[in-house]
Amino acid sequence: PVKFKPVTWREVEEGCARIAEEISAKGVKVDVIVGVLRGGWIPARLLSDYLGTPAMGALEVKFYRGIGETAERPVVTQPLIVDIRDKVVLVVDDVADTGKTLNIAINFLTHYGPRKIFTAALYLKPWSMHRPDFYAEETDAWIIFPWDKAETVEELVKKKGLSLETVSKITGEDIEFIK
Ligand code: 5GP
Ligand code: MG
Ligand code: MG
């Protein structure tokens, strides 16, 4: 049985605030924030606000199964537009699960000659191969973020056949408005 962890907007803000505090406490001065689309964009934007770092870019990473491959691997699917050469970069995603996405992101960004790359994720799964430099909380549950609630509800209702009432209990709120 899958364990779920619904996360509120408030918890997202608090998690990002804790990450920002830790970054400042370590004396790290971030020049550019790169959000990993799509889940990392909102935490990245909040960190831009809390750190007072207006320079932002985005990196889209999607999971694909290549020809002859059994496992899916992440691939960068949108080019980086922001300039990161000689800059201190903070890459932000919503969660590091397998850790493959952040590893691919670091690998990709390294080619643009940044001075230093730091990673941040709101959540960290204990089995992740990449441990973000900054994260708010560790969990082994499937996280339901405010920005992916509709797709989670759809999956649980349409694919797993759960009732809306059961799904409401999982998400911890009335989800009529997004069904
Ligand atoms: P990775 O496995 O590469 O660390 O994470 C890849 C992506 O899978 C994340 O950026 C995130 O979009 C998605 N993901 C992984 N675990 C979870 C989870 O518990 N909840 C949600 N909503 N997305 C997740
Ligand atoms: Mg993602
Ligand atoms: Mg996602």
Side-chain angles (χ1 to χ4, degrees):
V2 186
K3 234 194 317 176
F4 291 99
K5 180 182 175 61
V7 171
T8 64
W9 285 112
R10 174 73 194 198
E11 286 169 324
V12 168
E13 290 179 292
E14 287 171 350
C16 286
R18 285 206 300 279
I19 289 171
E21 249 171 58
E22 206 187 319
I23 290 172
S24 304
K26 290 235 165 84
V28 174
K29 292 263 181 292
V30 176
D31 298 316
V32 189
I33 295 173
V34 173
V36 179
L37 297 176
R38 292 171 292 157
W41 185 253
I42 293 166
R45 177 62 181 90
L46 291 173
L47 285 167
S48 164
D49 190 27
Y50 300 164
L51 292 170
T53 305
M56 284 187 82
L59 196 61
E60 187 182 57
V61 180
K62 283 184 177 161
F63 274 80
Y64 282 111
R65 197 176 315 243
I67 296 164
E69 282 180 332
T70 48
E72 288 196 314
R73 65 187 170 86
V75 175
V76 174
T77 46
Q78 273 186 36
L80 185 75
I81 291 173
V82 73
D83 181 21
I84 62 165
R85 186 160 299 279
D86 297 326
K87 306 246 164 79
V88 175
V89 182
L90 180 67
V91 189
V92 183
D93 205 353
D94 48 2
V95 45
D97 193 322
T98 64
K100 287 181 186 174
T101 299
L102 282 172
N103 273 352
I104 287 283
I106 290 171
N107 217 312
F108 182 83
L109 294 174
T110 299
H111 296 292
Y112 292 81
R115 184 144 63 87
K116 180 104 182 81
I117 300 174
F118 291 99
T119 58
L122 272 175
Y123 292 93
L124 168 65
K125 303 287 176 84
W127 48 76
S128 175
M129 64 168 84
H130 177 90
R131 222 181 150 76
D133 297 299
F134 305 97
Y135 64 93
E137 208 179 307
E138 198 170 305
T139 179
D140 61 359
W142 182 262
I143 306 151
I144 303 172
F145 290 104
W147 47 83
D148 59 24
K149 218 180 285 175
E151 67 187 50
T152 307
V153 170
E154 164 146 344
E155 180 158 338
L156 293 178
V157 172
K158 297 206 175 129
K159 292 192 198 143
K160 304 245 154 80
L162 300 188
S163 71
L164 273 182
E165 202 194 333
T166 306
V167 177
S168 295
K169 281 191 186 125
I170 290 170
T171 58
E173 68 183 323
D174 178 18
I175 37 92
E176 286 286 324
F177 71 104
I178 45 167
K179 87 167 194 291

